[in-house]
Amino acid sequence: MSLFVPASVALLVVSMTGSGPSMAAPWGSKGHEIAALAAGEGLPRAMPAFFREAVRQLAYLGSEPDRWRDRDRPEMDEAWRYDHYIDLERVPAGALEAADRFTFLRRLYEAGHERPEGDVGILPFRIVELYQRLVTEWRLWRSEGSPERRAWIEARILDDAGILGHYVTDAANPHHTTIHFNGWDDTAPNPEGYTTDRRFHQRFETDFVSRHVRLPDVRSGVTGPPTSVVGNVREAVRKHLEESHGLVAELYRLERDVGFDPAAEARADARAFVIERLSSGAEMLRTLWWSAWLEAAAGGDGDPRSDRNLAQDDPVVLFRGGTMSSGELTGGPVTRCGAWCRVPTDRTSEGTAHSRSWTPGSTSSRWRTEWTSRRGLGPASSPGSGTDRSGESS
């Protein structure tokens, strides 16, 4: 199956005129694909193997929401069309703190937006909704004992994770955060003489990317281990959007002074801008995938050694104690799950197991008594037994 949207569909979804309600065009299938591949290739090995091995599928699914945009099928088209953007200039103070998309829309209506879904958009809520679905699905996956049902849950996880990638990458494009979504808005002052060309959006994120951006370019911008935003997801999404929105003027300045002409040789600063935005989207997507997995791990109070999330080929450190510090080991951030605590790690990371707390940075081998993995390492031993178990991780 092709990873690229047919030309007829691409032309349909980017046909926009005027400066009415935002109908932002997509990054283009290639941009979404590249961002998802870069995100997936940087996942820790502590993530389940089925997820890490489905990177190409996740990349394909990243363009699904654009495949649903069909004006000949208005019921479907109308249901999803406003999820792709948020015009931050039109958001009243405090409105993004609404509990859900419907409360948000009510606040917009009360602020004077007669058609709030079209006037403003719902992008941040769509991202958080899909993230929360992933957390729920990962918890179902961990607790499911039937291999058949577990496979069904895995399909659902991949589908929602891939679709989440679309909206996270949309948010990295400044066009998707502003009233100036496709050329400078006609109703806004334009003292800098920025373009009002209604083909700018497509030229920037579809034509230019297809001609001048490759996966290695974006991959180089996704470095180091992913961070965790567990407990702070909405704030992280808001910052992601605000960072992108803060680059609207720079985007239009580059278009005016340098241009994003796909037919010409790419100027270094224009190309660097596009690559940085796609890398930002890939980094945020990797962060949310990783955080959903970690947050799901914090959902139970039982001994995690009996949890089916351990049916992977990577070691996991387990520690029973009442508290844990907020420190990190090489493999990833500390995760808490009731009385038991877990942290993905590699075999060079050690700590000290105490009856009530864990202290990062210690050199005691007693920490390593708590290894477990699918590859015959057996159940974790009790703290202090002196057993030294190690495994492979990255």
Short mmCIF file of all heavy atoms in Angstrom, two decimals, residues 226-284:
data_model
loop_
_atom_site.label_atom_id
_atom_site.label_comp_id
_atom_site.label_asym_id
_atom_site.label_seq_id
_atom_site.Cartn_x
_atom_site.Cartn_y
_atom_site.Cartn_z
N PRO A 226 13.74 10.25 24.99
CA PRO A 226 12.53 11.07 25.07
C PRO A 226 12.28 11.49 26.51
O PRO A 226 12.67 10.82 27.46
CB PRO A 226 11.43 10.13 24.57
CG PRO A 226 11.94 8.76 24.88
CD PRO A 226 13.43 8.83 24.70
N THR A 227 11.62 12.61 26.66
CA THR A 227 11.24 13.07 27.99
C THR A 227 9.85 12.56 28.34
O THR A 227 9.11 12.10 27.47
CB THR A 227 11.25 14.60 28.05
OG1 THR A 227 10.34 15.11 27.05
CG2 THR A 227 12.63 15.15 27.79
N SER A 228 9.52 12.63 29.60
CA SER A 228 8.18 12.25 30.05
C SER A 228 7.40 13.50 30.42
O SER A 228 7.93 14.39 31.09
CB SER A 228 8.26 11.32 31.25
OG SER A 228 6.97 11.15 31.84
N VAL A 229 6.15 13.56 29.97
CA VAL A 229 5.26 14.66 30.37
C VAL A 229 4.06 14.12 31.14
O VAL A 229 3.00 14.73 31.19
CB VAL A 229 4.80 15.48 29.14
CG1 VAL A 229 5.97 16.21 28.52
CG2 VAL A 229 4.10 14.60 28.10
N VAL A 230 4.24 12.94 31.74
CA VAL A 230 3.17 12.34 32.53
C VAL A 230 2.76 13.32 33.63
O VAL A 230 3.59 13.86 34.35
CB VAL A 230 3.63 11.01 33.15
CG1 VAL A 230 2.59 10.47 34.11
CG2 VAL A 230 3.92 9.99 32.06
N GLY A 231 1.47 13.54 33.73
CA GLY A 231 0.94 14.48 34.72
C GLY A 231 0.96 15.92 34.26
O GLY A 231 0.44 16.79 34.96
N ASN A 232 1.50 16.18 33.08
CA ASN A 232 1.62 17.55 32.59
C ASN A 232 1.37 17.62 31.09
O ASN A 232 1.94 18.47 30.39
CB ASN A 232 3.01 18.09 32.92
CG ASN A 232 3.08 19.60 32.90
OD1 ASN A 232 2.10 20.28 33.22
ND2 ASN A 232 4.22 20.13 32.51
N VAL A 233 0.54 16.74 30.59
CA VAL A 233 0.37 16.60 29.14
C VAL A 233 -0.27 17.83 28.53
O VAL A 233 0.18 18.34 27.49
CB VAL A 233 -0.47 15.34 28.82
CG1 VAL A 233 -0.84 15.29 27.34
CG2 VAL A 233 0.31 14.09 29.21
N ARG A 234 -1.31 18.34 29.13
CA ARG A 234 -1.99 19.50 28.54
C ARG A 234 -1.07 20.71 28.47
O ARG A 234 -1.08 21.45 27.48
CB ARG A 234 -3.26 19.83 29.34
CG ARG A 234 -4.36 18.79 29.13
CD ARG A 234 -5.66 19.20 29.75
NE ARG A 234 -6.17 20.45 29.19
CZ ARG A 234 -7.45 20.82 29.27
NH1 ARG A 234 -8.32 20.04 29.88
NH2 ARG A 234 -7.84 21.95 28.76
N GLU A 235 -0.27 20.92 29.49
CA GLU A 235 0.68 22.03 29.47
C GLU A 235 1.72 21.81 28.38
O GLU A 235 2.12 22.76 27.69
CB GLU A 235 1.35 22.16 30.83
CG GLU A 235 2.40 23.25 30.92
CD GLU A 235 1.85 24.65 30.79
OE1 GLU A 235 0.61 24.83 30.85
OE2 GLU A 235 2.66 25.58 30.64
N ALA A 236 2.19 20.59 28.21
CA ALA A 236 3.18 20.28 27.17
C ALA A 236 2.60 20.54 25.79
O ALA A 236 3.28 21.08 24.90
CB ALA A 236 3.65 18.84 27.30
N VAL A 237 1.36 20.16 25.57
CA VAL A 237 0.70 20.41 24.28
C VAL A 237 0.54 21.90 24.05
O VAL A 237 0.79 22.41 22.94
CB VAL A 237 -0.65 19.68 24.22
CG1 VAL A 237 -1.44 20.10 22.98
CG2 VAL A 237 -0.45 18.16 24.23
N ARG A 238 0.14 22.61 25.09
CA ARG A 238 -0.01 24.07 24.95
C ARG A 238 1.31 24.73 24.57
O ARG A 238 1.37 25.59 23.68
CB ARG A 238 -0.54 24.66 26.25
CG ARG A 238 -0.79 26.17 26.19
CD ARG A 238 -1.17 26.73 27.55
NE ARG A 238 -0.10 26.60 28.52
CZ ARG A 238 0.96 27.41 28.60
NH1 ARG A 238 1.10 28.40 27.73
NH2 ARG A 238 1.87 27.22 29.52
N LYS A 239 2.40 24.32 25.23
CA LYS A 239 3.71 24.90 24.93
C LYS A 239 4.14 24.56 23.50
O LYS A 239 4.76 25.39 22.82
CB LYS A 239 4.73 24.40 25.94
CG LYS A 239 4.58 25.01 27.33
CD LYS A 239 5.66 24.51 28.28
CE LYS A 239 5.54 25.16 29.63
NZ LYS A 239 6.57 24.66 30.58
N HIS A 240 3.85 23.34 23.07
CA HIS A 240 4.16 22.94 21.70
C HIS A 240 3.47 23.86 20.70
O HIS A 240 4.08 24.32 19.72
CB HIS A 240 3.73 21.48 21.51
CG HIS A 240 3.97 20.91 20.16
ND1 HIS A 240 5.21 20.89 19.54
CD2 HIS A 240 3.11 20.31 19.28
CE1 HIS A 240 5.12 20.31 18.36
NE2 HIS A 240 3.86 19.96 18.17
N LEU A 241 2.22 24.15 20.94
CA LEU A 241 1.46 25.03 20.05
C LEU A 241 1.96 26.48 20.14
O LEU A 241 2.09 27.15 19.11
CB LEU A 241 -0.02 24.97 20.42
CG LEU A 241 -0.76 23.71 19.96
CD1 LEU A 241 -2.02 23.50 20.79
CD2 LEU A 241 -1.09 23.79 18.48
N GLU A 242 2.23 26.93 21.33
CA GLU A 242 2.68 28.32 21.49
C GLU A 242 4.06 28.54 20.87
O GLU A 242 4.33 29.61 20.31
CB GLU A 242 2.69 28.70 22.96
CG GLU A 242 1.28 28.85 23.53
CD GLU A 242 1.28 29.23 25.00
OE1 GLU A 242 2.37 29.15 25.63
OE2 GLU A 242 0.21 29.61 25.52
N GLU A 243 4.92 27.53 20.98
CA GLU A 243 6.22 27.63 20.32
C GLU A 243 6.06 27.77 18.82
O GLU A 243 6.72 28.60 18.17
CB GLU A 243 7.06 26.40 20.64
CG GLU A 243 8.41 26.37 19.95
CD GLU A 243 9.14 25.06 20.19
OE1 GLU A 243 8.80 24.06 19.54
OE2 GLU A 243 10.06 25.05 21.03
N SER A 244 5.18 26.98 18.26
CA SER A 244 4.93 27.04 16.82
C SER A 244 4.31 28.39 16.44
O SER A 244 4.72 29.02 15.46
CB SER A 244 4.00 25.89 16.42
OG SER A 244 3.83 25.82 15.04
N HIS A 245 3.36 28.83 17.22
CA HIS A 245 2.69 30.10 16.95
C HIS A 245 3.68 31.26 17.02
O HIS A 245 3.56 32.24 16.26
CB HIS A 245 1.56 30.31 17.95
CG HIS A 245 0.77 31.54 17.71
ND1 HIS A 245 -0.06 31.71 16.62
CD2 HIS A 245 0.67 32.70 18.43
CE1 HIS A 245 -0.63 32.90 16.67
NE2 HIS A 245 -0.20 33.52 17.75
N GLY A 246 4.65 31.16 17.90
CA GLY A 246 5.64 32.22 18.01
C GLY A 246 6.52 32.39 16.79
O GLY A 246 7.26 33.37 16.69
N LEU A 247 6.43 31.45 15.86
CA LEU A 247 7.24 31.50 14.64
C LEU A 247 6.45 31.95 13.41
O LEU A 247 6.97 31.89 12.29
CB LEU A 247 7.85 30.12 14.38
CG LEU A 247 8.86 29.64 15.44
CD1 LEU A 247 9.22 28.18 15.20
CD2 LEU A 247 10.10 30.51 15.44
N VAL A 248 5.21 32.38 13.61
CA VAL A 248 4.40 32.81 12.46
C VAL A 248 5.06 33.95 11.71
O VAL A 248 5.19 33.92 10.47
CB VAL A 248 2.99 33.22 12.94
CG1 VAL A 248 2.22 33.91 11.79
CG2 VAL A 248 2.21 32.02 13.43
N ALA A 249 5.50 34.98 12.40
CA ALA A 249 6.13 36.12 11.73
C ALA A 249 7.42 35.70 11.03
O ALA A 249 7.71 36.17 9.91
CB ALA A 249 6.41 37.23 12.74
N GLU A 250 8.20 34.81 11.64
CA GLU A 250 9.43 34.33 11.01
C GLU A 250 9.12 33.55 9.75
O GLU A 250 9.81 33.69 8.73
CB GLU A 250 10.21 33.46 12.00
CG GLU A 250 11.47 32.82 11.44
CD GLU A 250 12.57 33.83 11.11
OE1 GLU A 250 12.41 35.02 11.44
OE2 GLU A 250 13.60 33.42 10.55
N LEU A 251 8.08 32.75 9.77
CA LEU A 251 7.65 32.00 8.58
C LEU A 251 7.34 32.96 7.44
O LEU A 251 7.79 32.77 6.29
CB LEU A 251 6.42 31.17 8.93
CG LEU A 251 5.65 30.54 7.78
CD1 LEU A 251 6.48 29.48 7.08
CD2 LEU A 251 4.34 29.93 8.29
N TYR A 252 6.59 34.00 7.74
CA TYR A 252 6.20 34.94 6.68
C TYR A 252 7.36 35.82 6.26
O TYR A 252 7.43 36.23 5.08
CB TYR A 252 4.99 35.77 7.15
CG TYR A 252 3.69 35.05 6.89
CD1 TYR A 252 3.20 34.12 7.80
CD2 TYR A 252 2.97 35.27 5.72
CE1 TYR A 252 2.02 33.44 7.56
CE2 TYR A 252 1.78 34.60 5.46
CZ TYR A 252 1.32 33.68 6.38
OH TYR A 252 0.15 32.99 6.13
N ARG A 253 8.26 36.12 7.16
CA ARG A 253 9.45 36.89 6.78
C ARG A 253 10.30 36.09 5.81
O ARG A 253 10.79 36.62 4.79
CB ARG A 253 10.27 37.26 8.01
CG ARG A 253 11.47 38.15 7.69
CD ARG A 253 12.45 38.22 8.83
NE ARG A 253 13.10 36.94 9.10
CZ ARG A 253 14.08 36.43 8.37
NH1 ARG A 253 14.53 37.08 7.29
NH2 ARG A 253 14.61 35.26 8.68
N LEU A 254 10.49 34.79 6.10
CA LEU A 254 11.27 33.93 5.20
C LEU A 254 10.60 33.83 3.83
O LEU A 254 11.28 33.84 2.79
CB LEU A 254 11.43 32.53 5.82
CG LEU A 254 12.45 32.42 6.95
CD1 LEU A 254 12.31 31.08 7.66
CD2 LEU A 254 13.87 32.59 6.41
N GLU A 255 9.30 33.72 3.81
CA GLU A 255 8.59 33.65 2.54
C GLU A 255 8.81 34.94 1.74
O GLU A 255 9.03 34.90 0.53
CB GLU A 255 7.11 33.40 2.78
CG GLU A 255 6.20 33.63 1.58
CD GLU A 255 6.48 32.70 0.41
OE1 GLU A 255 7.22 31.71 0.57
OE2 GLU A 255 5.94 32.95 -0.69
N ARG A 256 8.77 36.07 2.41
CA ARG A 256 8.95 37.36 1.73
C ARG A 256 10.39 37.55 1.25
O ARG A 256 10.61 37.98 0.10
CB ARG A 256 8.57 38.48 2.69
CG ARG A 256 8.66 39.89 2.10
CD ARG A 256 8.62 40.94 3.19
NE ARG A 256 9.78 40.83 4.09
CZ ARG A 256 9.86 41.43 5.27
NH1 ARG A 256 8.85 42.16 5.73
NH2 ARG A 256 10.96 41.29 6.01
N ASP A 257 11.36 37.22 2.08
CA ASP A 257 12.75 37.56 1.80
C ASP A 257 13.51 36.46 1.08
O ASP A 257 14.48 36.74 0.37
CB ASP A 257 13.49 37.90 3.10
CG ASP A 257 12.89 39.09 3.82
OD1 ASP A 257 12.10 39.83 3.18
OD2 ASP A 257 13.19 39.28 5.01
N VAL A 258 13.11 35.22 1.31
CA VAL A 258 13.85 34.08 0.76
C VAL A 258 12.99 33.23 -0.16
O VAL A 258 13.37 32.88 -1.27
CB VAL A 258 14.41 33.20 1.91
CG1 VAL A 258 15.11 31.97 1.36
CG2 VAL A 258 15.36 34.02 2.79
N GLY A 259 11.81 32.90 0.32
CA GLY A 259 10.88 32.11 -0.47
C GLY A 259 11.01 30.62 -0.20
O GLY A 259 12.07 30.11 0.16
N PHE A 260 9.89 29.91 -0.37
CA PHE A 260 9.85 28.45 -0.27
C PHE A 260 9.44 27.89 -1.63
O PHE A 260 8.44 27.18 -1.77
CB PHE A 260 8.86 28.02 0.81
CG PHE A 260 9.24 28.45 2.20
CD1 PHE A 260 8.76 29.63 2.75
CD2 PHE A 260 10.09 27.66 2.97
CE1 PHE A 260 9.11 30.02 4.04
CE2 PHE A 260 10.45 28.04 4.26
CZ PHE A 260 9.96 29.23 4.79
N ASP A 261 10.23 28.22 -2.62
CA ASP A 261 9.93 27.82 -3.99
C ASP A 261 10.43 26.39 -4.22
O ASP A 261 11.64 26.13 -4.19
CB ASP A 261 10.60 28.77 -4.97
CG ASP A 261 10.24 28.48 -6.42
OD1 ASP A 261 9.56 27.47 -6.68
OD2 ASP A 261 10.66 29.26 -7.30
N PRO A 262 9.54 25.43 -4.45
CA PRO A 262 9.98 24.05 -4.65
C PRO A 262 10.76 23.84 -5.93
O PRO A 262 11.53 22.88 -6.04
CB PRO A 262 8.67 23.26 -4.67
CG PRO A 262 7.64 24.25 -5.12
CD PRO A 262 8.07 25.56 -4.54
N ALA A 263 10.59 24.74 -6.88
CA ALA A 263 11.25 24.57 -8.17
C ALA A 263 12.67 25.14 -8.17
O ALA A 263 13.45 24.86 -9.08
CB ALA A 263 10.42 25.23 -9.27
N ALA A 264 12.98 25.95 -7.17
CA ALA A 264 14.30 26.59 -7.11
C ALA A 264 15.20 25.87 -6.13
O ALA A 264 14.75 25.06 -5.31
CB ALA A 264 14.15 28.05 -6.72
N GLU A 265 16.47 26.17 -6.19
CA GLU A 265 17.40 25.62 -5.22
C GLU A 265 17.04 26.17 -3.84
O GLU A 265 16.84 27.38 -3.66
CB GLU A 265 18.83 25.99 -5.57
CG GLU A 265 19.87 25.42 -4.62
CD GLU A 265 21.29 25.74 -5.04
OE1 GLU A 265 21.47 26.28 -6.16
OE2 GLU A 265 22.22 25.45 -4.26
N ALA A 266 16.96 25.29 -2.85
CA ALA A 266 16.52 25.70 -1.52
C ALA A 266 17.56 26.56 -0.84
O ALA A 266 18.74 26.21 -0.80
CB ALA A 266 16.22 24.47 -0.67
N ARG A 267 17.12 27.68 -0.28
CA ARG A 267 17.99 28.51 0.54
C ARG A 267 18.16 27.84 1.90
O ARG A 267 17.23 27.25 2.45
CB ARG A 267 17.38 29.89 0.70
CG ARG A 267 17.43 30.73 -0.56
CD ARG A 267 18.82 31.36 -0.73
NE ARG A 267 19.10 32.29 0.36
CZ ARG A 267 18.78 33.59 0.32
NH1 ARG A 267 18.16 34.09 -0.74
NH2 ARG A 267 19.07 34.37 1.34
N ALA A 268 19.36 27.95 2.46
CA ALA A 268 19.68 27.23 3.69
C ALA A 268 18.76 27.61 4.83
O ALA A 268 18.33 26.74 5.60
CB ALA A 268 21.14 27.49 4.07
N ASP A 269 18.46 28.90 4.98
CA ASP A 269 17.64 29.31 6.11
C ASP A 269 16.19 28.84 5.97
O ASP A 269 15.55 28.48 6.95
CB ASP A 269 17.70 30.81 6.36
CG ASP A 269 17.64 31.63 5.09
OD1 ASP A 269 17.54 31.03 3.99
OD2 ASP A 269 17.72 32.87 5.18
N ALA A 270 15.66 28.83 4.75
CA ALA A 270 14.31 28.34 4.54
C ALA A 270 14.24 26.84 4.81
O ALA A 270 13.32 26.35 5.48
CB ALA A 270 13.86 28.64 3.11
N ARG A 271 15.21 26.12 4.31
CA ARG A 271 15.24 24.67 4.51
C ARG A 271 15.41 24.33 5.98
O ARG A 271 14.76 23.42 6.51
CB ARG A 271 16.37 24.06 3.66
CG ARG A 271 16.40 22.56 3.64
CD ARG A 271 17.36 22.06 2.56
NE ARG A 271 17.44 20.61 2.59
CZ ARG A 271 18.29 19.92 3.35
NH1 ARG A 271 19.14 20.58 4.14
NH2 ARG A 271 18.29 18.60 3.32
N ALA A 272 16.28 25.06 6.68
CA ALA A 272 16.50 24.82 8.10
C ALA A 272 15.23 25.05 8.91
O ALA A 272 14.95 24.32 9.88
CB ALA A 272 17.62 25.71 8.62
N PHE A 273 14.44 26.05 8.52
CA PHE A 273 13.19 26.33 9.22
C PHE A 273 12.23 25.16 9.10
O PHE A 273 11.63 24.72 10.09
CB PHE A 273 12.56 27.60 8.65
CG PHE A 273 11.31 28.03 9.37
CD1 PHE A 273 11.38 28.90 10.44
CD2 PHE A 273 10.07 27.58 8.96
CE1 PHE A 273 10.22 29.31 11.11
CE2 PHE A 273 8.91 27.98 9.62
CZ PHE A 273 8.99 28.85 10.69
N VAL A 274 12.06 24.64 7.91
CA VAL A 274 11.15 23.52 7.69
C VAL A 274 11.62 22.28 8.46
O VAL A 274 10.82 21.60 9.12
CB VAL A 274 11.03 23.21 6.19
CG1 VAL A 274 10.16 21.97 5.97
CG2 VAL A 274 10.43 24.40 5.45
N ILE A 275 12.90 21.99 8.38
CA ILE A 275 13.44 20.81 9.06
C ILE A 275 13.27 20.93 10.57
O ILE A 275 12.89 19.96 11.24
CB ILE A 275 14.92 20.61 8.69
CG1 ILE A 275 15.03 20.19 7.22
CG2 ILE A 275 15.59 19.58 9.61
CD1 ILE A 275 16.45 20.19 6.69
N GLU A 276 13.52 22.12 11.11
CA GLU A 276 13.36 22.30 12.55
C GLU A 276 11.92 22.10 12.98
O GLU A 276 11.64 21.50 14.03
CB GLU A 276 13.82 23.71 12.94
CG GLU A 276 13.85 23.96 14.44
CD GLU A 276 12.50 24.33 15.03
OE1 GLU A 276 11.69 24.94 14.31
OE2 GLU A 276 12.25 23.98 16.22
N ARG A 277 10.97 22.57 12.17
CA ARG A 277 9.56 22.40 12.52
C ARG A 277 9.15 20.91 12.46
O ARG A 277 8.42 20.43 13.33
CB ARG A 277 8.67 23.23 11.59
CG ARG A 277 8.71 24.72 11.83
CD ARG A 277 8.06 25.10 13.17
NE ARG A 277 8.92 24.92 14.32
CZ ARG A 277 8.49 24.62 15.53
NH1 ARG A 277 7.22 24.39 15.76
NH2 ARG A 277 9.33 24.48 16.54
N LEU A 278 9.59 20.20 11.46
CA LEU A 278 9.27 18.77 11.38
C LEU A 278 9.95 18.01 12.51
O LEU A 278 9.37 17.08 13.09
CB LEU A 278 9.68 18.21 10.03
CG LEU A 278 8.75 18.55 8.86
CD1 LEU A 278 9.37 18.14 7.53
CD2 LEU A 278 7.39 17.85 9.04
N SER A 279 11.17 18.38 12.85
CA SER A 279 11.87 17.74 13.97
C SER A 279 11.15 18.00 15.28
O SER A 279 11.05 17.12 16.14
CB SER A 279 13.31 18.24 14.05
OG SER A 279 14.05 17.88 12.90
N SER A 280 10.64 19.21 15.45
CA SER A 280 9.88 19.53 16.65
C SER A 280 8.64 18.67 16.75
O SER A 280 8.29 18.17 17.84
CB SER A 280 9.51 21.01 16.65
OG SER A 280 8.68 21.34 17.75
N GLY A 281 7.95 18.50 15.64
CA GLY A 281 6.77 17.63 15.63
C GLY A 281 7.13 16.19 15.96
O GLY A 281 6.43 15.53 16.73
N ALA A 282 8.23 15.70 15.38
CA ALA A 282 8.67 14.33 15.65
C ALA A 282 9.05 14.16 17.11
O ALA A 282 8.72 13.14 17.74
CB ALA A 282 9.85 13.98 14.75
N GLU A 283 9.75 15.13 17.68
CA GLU A 283 10.16 15.05 19.08
C GLU A 283 8.95 15.04 20.01
O GLU A 283 8.89 14.27 20.97
CB GLU A 283 11.08 16.22 19.42
CG GLU A 283 11.61 16.20 20.84
CD GLU A 283 12.43 14.97 21.13
OE1 GLU A 283 13.38 14.69 20.37
OE2 GLU A 283 12.12 14.27 22.12
N MET A 284 7.97 15.89 19.73
CA MET A 284 6.77 15.93 20.56
C MET A 284 5.98 14.64 20.43
O MET A 284 5.43 14.12 21.42
CB MET A 284 5.90 17.12 20.17
CG MET A 284 4.69 17.31 21.05
SD MET A 284 5.16 17.62 22.78
CE MET A 284 3.55 17.82 23.53
#
